Amino acid sequence: KLMPPKPKNNLWGTYRSVQGQMGQDELGRFYKDLGLAATDPLTCVLAFFSGSKEPAIWTELEFKNVCDRVKAWELQNFKAKIEGLRNEWLKNDANWKKVWAYVWQLYSGGQKYISADTFIGLTRILLENRYPLATSFVEFFELMQEKDEKLVIYKDLWDMGLQFLMTSKEDLSNIN
């Protein structure tokens, strides 16, 4: 069965740096052109689509992975898909768990833990407006960090924290 060819991707030439990649500045410009703040959780979904192993750096192949996954090879087409991506990835817990796991891999850098600062920052950006207890959850870890400046977060806490926030009612009435 013959597949029609993919449309030509002209976006890469618009956003790549002279080093032949998209770094933080280029990604920031891309997100801005899409109408996304750099702290919008949807940027993590796009990073997940890229498969990048480094925060804020995409190769040409990784950028093309994003465009192919979104099925958008022009900026206007990409912008038109943003709300659909929000519904499919940010409002769907099963998909969000995949992105959450990817963010761990990205920021842990192969280590068994991340710093409390990184955890607090990522949790604030990615979860605070998603779950009723997220703000209190972040505040709890800020207090813990005040007591222990060397506090680190291991992967099991990363995973259990998300599960706790996803399943807990604001009044904690479903917790024994």
Side-chain angles (χ1 to χ4, degrees), residues 45-57:
V45 173
L46 298 179
F48 171 69
F49 291 168
S50 79
S52 177
K53 303 283 188 255
E54 296 182 58
I57 295 177

Side-chain angles (χ1 to χ4, degrees), residues 75-159:
L75 187 62
Q76 290 307 94
N77 187 281
F78 212 116
K79 287 171 83 170
K81 303 227 177 189
I82 295 297
E83 277 313 304
L85 290 170
R86 282 192 193 288
N87 289 331
E88 185 179 350
W89 287 89
L90 298 183
K91 295 178 181 175
N92 177 307
D93 284 344
N95 284 342
W96 184 245
K97 284 181 181 181
K98 295 173 191 174
V99 175
W100 186 250
Y102 169 77
V103 170
W104 170 268
Q105 292 173 342
L106 200 58
Y107 284 89
S108 69
Q111 300 294 315
K112 293 182 179 186
Y113 59 87
I114 59 173
S115 72
D117 282 335
T118 299
F119 175 75
I120 290 167
L122 289 169
T123 303
R124 191 173 295 287
I125 290 168
L126 298 175
L127 302 180
E128 211 160 35
N129 295 319
R130 276 184 74 81
Y131 303 106
L133 290 174
T135 299
S136 298
F137 186 75
V138 169
E139 290 169 354
F140 171 77
F141 281 97
E142 288 171 335
L143 288 172
M144 294 294 294
Q145 187 181 30
E146 284 177 20
K147 293 180 184 218
D148 181 1
E149 292 178 9
K150 295 179 182 180
L151 179 68
V152 295
I153 307 300
Y154 291 91
K155 181 149 182 4
D156 60 344
L157 182 56
W158 175 267
D159 292 336

